[in-house]
Amino acid sequence: MKTFMGKNFLLDTDTAKLLYHNYAEKLPIIDYHCHVSPKEIAEDKTYSNITELWLGGDHYKWRAMRCCGVPEDFITGDASDYDKFRAWCQSMPKLIGNPLYHWSHLELKRYFDCDLIINEKNCDEIWRICNEKLADPSMSVRNIIKNSGVKLLCTTDDPSDTLEWHKLLAEDDSFDVQVLPAFRPDKGVNINKPGITPYIKKLGEAAGVDITDFASLKQAYLNRLDLFESYGCRTADHGFDEYRSYISCSEYEADLIFKKALASDGADVDDDELYKFKTQLLSFLASEYKQRGFVMQIHFGVLRNQNSRMFEAKGPDTGFDTIGNYDMIGALSRLLDRMDSDDALPRTILYSINPTDSPAVAALCGCFELSGDGKPKVVQGSAWWFSDHIDGMRRQMTDFANLSAFGNFLGMLTDSRSFISYTRHEYFRRILCSLLGSWVENGEYPADLESLAELVADICYNNAKNFFGFKIL
């Protein structure tokens, strides 16, 4: 029987152990999609206790605690930080099989040198150990990032953001990890949502443009893209909660739809108009990304804020989203084809939250691999959100290998708001080495150590570096 979370955790063959310990383990990290705060990095935030670091803002954990019957007061309410932490410890034994069980113990082990099992019995000792460690300067945000082996990370930033914290970080020679903005224009794309009119005013003020029509909207985005690019931005991220279909329209019609949205704060825009406008704006943005060498990331398959009562009480990103079962593959295919036909398709990564989409996404990518420069054009992203557990990661990687070129896979990202989530890269690397090891020891791939080592290094680090064009300092 293996020791829980021991040296060879998840490594079940000799080849897997060799690949992980000799090649994958010490590779640096590029976290090209996350939601950490650039302000907290610039200010080098410290934490007063483990609850603040571990449970604050983590809707993965909040959702799990609700599943265990924890009252909301001990999750997002007014209970003390200690009582919230105790509620988390009480929940943990029930989460066997949930990736949070592994992630949490990995975080405890790697960042706090603590091998205790997370449960109610060990709650007070873990609380003491973690809080004593957090009092050490080595546990400031910047030191956590550096000590995790991170070389570069991309935050998620709205086009209306000032990027003031990125400016400070770019000018700070004392911190050698690159923190780059990522362009996230979802708010301005979804013109049917309440609040679009004041948002567009805010975007215009940030861009120095009086946005009154579609032409001035595009100019505002160009101005903001210039600013983002000046701070090293190499990627734009889009969340497609639902994209019904590619619907062509003229610039004139897009202009009329946009003006209607501004006049009614989104209320008078019907579905057909919304998707016409989206197609026109997304095609424009994609063309700009291609010209600038940006990578476009598209996340889809989510049904958001399904509990209306809790959405009203807690707002978005609090643990009430679920897997959507609507067809996005056909719609995405038509949208990508529109971009490709206009010679406006940038390098693109596709992620679906729905695991049943995985083979279809891998196959769709193969329809647009016409870069001709030795790099893939459209690739499947790593298992995402509700799929980034052991089974989901193995399934996604196997589908990618079956239907595409696994050697071009871009590896892992955290998609996290927590600064101690970098152990998810370790988790991924162990699963990757386990998968490769099983293929070798089953005689499905040659025991060519040189090729295997190169494959591991590429998937864990080099492919992302090259695909995005990052200049690692």
Side-chain angles (χ1 to χ4, degrees):
M1 181 174 65
K2 285 186 178 180
T3 303
F4 173 67
M5 209 64 69
K7 177 182 178 181
N8 293 320
F9 173 58
L10 299 179
L11 306 174
D12 46 9
T13 65
D14 289 340
T15 303
K17 296 169 189 174
L18 177 66
L19 291 176
Y20 179 74
H21 293 302
N22 287 24
Y23 301 103
E25 186 173 14
K26 299 301 182 183
L27 285 169
I29 289 172
I30 295 174
D31 198 28
Y32 53 85
H33 175 70
C34 70
H35 297 277
V36 296
S37 164
K39 177 178 185 290
E40 293 177 359
I41 302 172
E43 294 179 339
D44 200 17
K45 180 176 178 175
T46 57
Y47 297 89
S48 59
N49 63 58
I50 184 59
T51 298
E52 185 182 352
L53 172 62
W54 221 1
L55 299 176
D58 192 337
H59 60 80
Y60 282 59
K61 294 188 177 77
W62 296 350
R63 185 186 184 97
M65 292 169 76
R66 293 181 187 119
C67 290
C68 293
V70 175
E72 194 65 28
D73 192 48
F74 293 86
I75 302 171
T76 62
D78 295 329
S80 70
D81 283 352
Y82 170 78
D83 287 338
K84 289 178 178 178
F85 181 71
R86 175 168 287 277
W88 173 239
C89 290
Q90 290 169 336
S91 300
M92 184 58 69
K94 300 174 184 177
L95 298 178
I96 182 171
N98 190 305
L100 284 167
Y101 195 90
H102 288 154
W103 294 350
S104 299
H105 282 94
L106 272 176
E107 290 164 4
L108 191 64
K109 188 179 185 74
R110 298 291 178 254
Y111 293 104
F112 298 98
D113 301 317
C114 180
D115 290 317
L116 291 173
I117 303 302
I118 305 170
N119 54 35
E120 186 174 16
K121 180 180 69 174
N122 292 328
C123 171
D124 288 351
E125 184 65 6
I126 296 172
W127 174 262
R128 180 190 65 79
I129 290 170
C130 290
N131 291 347
E132 287 180 0
K133 180 76 172 180
L134 286 171
D136 190 286
S138 66
M139 289 299 288
S140 71
V141 159
R142 291 190 182 192
N143 284 318
I144 290 172
I145 294 171
K146 290 186 67 170
N147 293 336
S148 299
V150 179
K151 294 296 183 183
L152 183 149
L153 64 88
C154 298
T155 60
T156 302
D157 308 275
D158 190 271
S160 67
D161 288 349
T162 64
L163 299 188
E164 60 183 299
W165 303 109
H166 285 282
K167 181 176 187 296
L168 289 172
L169 286 163
E171 296 170 347
D172 188 348
D173 294 334
S174 68
F175 188 55
D176 60 1
V177 177
Q178 293 184 66
V179 181
L180 307 182
F183 194 74
R184 181 73 179 249
D186 290 356
K187 287 183 180 178
V189 174
N190 295 315
I191 58 168
N192 64 327
K193 299 288 180 68
I196 186 63
T197 302
Y199 171 76
I200 293 297
K201 184 175 187 297
K202 179 183 177 184
L203 174 64
E205 291 171 350
V209 174
D210 183 17
I211 303 176
T212 58
D213 54 17
F214 192 55
S216 53
L217 174 67
K218 292 195 294 183
Q219 186 58 55
Y221 277 126
L222 290 176
N223 291 358
R224 300 312 287 170
L225 281 165
D226 288 344
L227 180 67
F228 273 67
E229 190 172 12
S230 73
Y231 289 122
C233 177
R234 302 296 305 159
T235 185
D237 187 72
H238 292 261
F240 285 12
D241 294 350
E242 185 173 355
Y243 189 79
R244 190 178 66 190
S245 184
Y246 154 66
I247 305 177
S248 183
C249 76
S250 65
E251 290 269 319
Y252 175 75
E253 190 173 2
D255 182 65
L256 293 178
I257 295 168
F258 181 61
K259 288 175 179 176
K260 180 188 286 190
L262 289 183
S264 66
D265 196 28
D268 291 344
V269 176
D270 64 31
D271 284 349
D272 280 349
E273 290 172 326
L274 172 65
Y275 292 116
K276 287 179 179 179
F277 176 82
K278 277 189 174 185
T279 299
Q280 199 70 14
L281 180 56
L282 290 169
S283 297
F284 162 74
L285 290 172
S287 177
E288 279 300 314
Y289 302 155
K290 183 178 180 182
Q291 291 181 46
R292 297 166 189 265
F294 285 15
V295 171
M296 179 170 65
Q297 300 184 64
I298 299 176
H299 292 79
F300 63 93
V302 185
L303 290 175
R304 296 189 184 273
N305 308 314
Q306 294 302 289
N307 187 318
S308 57
R309 177 178 62 84
M310 293 304 292
F311 175 66
E312 289 295 324
K314 301 298 179 181
D317 301 321
T318 51
F320 298 98
D321 304 328
T322 191
I323 296 172
N325 194 29
Y326 48 85
D327 176 32
M328 278 288 295
I329 304 303
L332 272 175
S333 177
R334 289 185 289 274
L335 182 64
L336 296 176
D337 185 56
R338 155 75 183 266
M339 295 173 180
D340 184 67
S341 297
D342 292 342
D343 194 25
L345 180 61
R347 298 198 191 283
T348 300
I349 311 173
L350 302 178
Y351 312 79
S352 177
I353 198 174
N354 191 331
T356 62
D357 286 341
S358 182
V361 173
L364 176 61
C365 293
C367 297
F368 297 97
E369 294 291 11
L370 302 172
S371 63
D373 61 2
K375 298 179 185 178
K377 186 71 170 286
V378 181
V379 296
Q380 182 179 23
S382 60
W384 174 51
W385 200 340
F386 290 114
S387 296
D388 60 356
H389 43 72
I390 294 174
D391 293 338
M393 288 184 190
R394 285 177 176 159
R395 183 185 305 117
Q396 183 273 332
M397 285 191 276
T398 301
D399 287 337
F400 191 94
N402 284 338
L403 296 164
S404 188
F406 192 48
N408 287 331
F409 186 40
L410 301 178
M412 190 57 177
L413 49 86
T414 63
D415 189 35
S416 176
R417 291 166 174 78
S418 170
F419 288 103
I420 56 173
S421 290
Y422 300 113
T423 50
R424 294 183 192 178
H425 285 264
E426 175 185 343
Y427 197 60
F428 165 81
R429 291 173 182 184
R430 288 176 178 272
I431 295 168
L432 168 66
C433 291
S434 174
L435 182 63
L436 293 174
S438 69
W439 289 345
V440 170
E441 300 209 12
N442 287 337
E444 299 170 30
Y445 191 89
D448 180 347
L449 189 57
E450 183 177 351
S451 294
L452 288 163
E454 182 178 352
L455 193 65
V456 167
D458 285 347
I459 291 173
C460 294
Y461 181 75
N462 293 326
N463 288 346
K465 178 176 178 289
N466 295 330
F467 190 78
F468 285 87
F470 292 135
K471 306 298 183 185
I472 306 295
L473 302 178

